Amino acid sequence: MRVVAGSCKGHSLKAVPGNSTRPTTDKVKEAIFNMIGPFFEGGIALDLFGGSGGLGIEALSRGIDRAIFVDRDGKAIQTIKSNLETCSLQEQAEVYRNDSERALKAIIKREIQFDLILLDPPYKAQKLKALIGTISEHKLLQASGVIVAEHANDVVLPDEINEFEKIKSENYGIIGVSIYTYKQPEEV
């Protein structure tokens, strides 16, 4: 695993030790960022199931100003911190050990709105629809923001979840990626 593009291009990233996480491959990471960017002019990102931190670090490398990383696994938290250090991005990141629902509650209290939300939960504990619903309900995404949901390729997420609409959906082997933004007003 490495950073694919941007200011940290080519930096190697460590994977979380053991089999508890499944890192996003460089090929899929590149495809995701080509769908949503590929580069950013500032903004703040949330990497809610951080794992090794690869997606959030890629966003920082491509121009996002700040990122919040969350994972409930202690080994993942250590790996994220190590990878941020490797890329000299510690000053642009907050890293928290927490589960996704509790982390979202803390974010709601802080009244943060994100330009990019990265959701890559364990495939077996598929909660994407509920998480995207919470994000919509509490307006955690900026008006021009994007949600990236990574899931198993046999999972088909709805075309609409609350205020969001799926604008792209692609499969890469066993991995599926769905991209959501706010629904656009219908033209008259």
Side-chain angles (χ1 to χ4, degrees):
M1 280 189 335
R2 62 187 173 83
V3 180
V4 178
S7 63
C8 300
K9 181 179 178 176
H11 283 71
S12 290
L13 300 176
K14 293 178 190 167
V16 178
N19 296 326
S20 60
T21 64
R22 156 202 37 73
T24 303
T25 64
D26 292 348
K27 176 185 156 200
V28 173
K29 206 178 341 180
E30 187 164 20
I32 287 170
F33 282 91
N34 283 339
M35 283 192 269
I36 63 169
F39 294 93
F40 304 92
E41 292 181 21
I44 184 166
L46 172 64
D47 193 344
L48 193 56
F49 298 87
S52 65
L55 288 172
I57 288 171
E58 189 73 34
L60 288 168
S61 180
R62 291 171 181 254
I64 286 283
D65 291 323
R66 297 195 50 71
I68 295 176
F69 296 83
V70 177
D71 203 291
R72 66 177 184 202
D73 181 340
K75 288 185 275 186
I77 293 300
Q78 291 310 314
T79 303
I80 292 167
K81 287 179 178 178
S82 173
N83 286 335
L84 285 165
E85 205 171 303
T86 297
C87 297
S88 300
L89 294 171
Q90 317 86 298
E91 298 298 314
Q92 293 173 256
E94 297 176 37
V95 183
Y96 299 102
R97 183 175 181 181
N98 212 338
D99 69 56
S100 57
E101 283 97 0
R102 288 174 66 190
L104 283 179
K105 285 178 185 168
I107 287 164
I108 291 163
K109 284 181 184 164
R110 288 175 66 185
E111 297 182 0
I112 300 173
Q113 281 193 314
F114 296 93
D115 300 279
L116 174 62
I117 298 178
L118 303 160
L119 304 174
D120 184 9
Y123 290 173
K124 289 185 177 111
Q126 214 349 300
K127 304 183 269 191
L128 286 168
K129 189 176 173 189
L131 288 168
I132 293 170
T134 300
I135 291 164
S136 171
E137 188 180 324
H138 295 281
K139 307 253 184 279
L140 300 181
L141 190 71
Q142 294 277 9
S144 60
V146 176
I147 297 171
V148 176
E150 196 176 315
H151 48 81
N153 67 355
D154 60 351
V155 170
V156 178
L157 292 172
D159 289 338
E160 294 184 357
I161 300 174
N162 294 21
E163 296 179 79
F164 299 119
E165 65 182 341
K166 183 167 41 173
I167 58 165
K168 280 190 183 155
S169 188
E170 298 287 340
N171 286 334
Y172 305 94
I174 63 165
I175 298 167
V177 176
S178 297
I179 311 290
Y180 285 88
T181 59
Y182 280 103
K183 291 178 195 169
Q184 298 303 311
E186 293 186 28
E187 293 184 25
V188 181

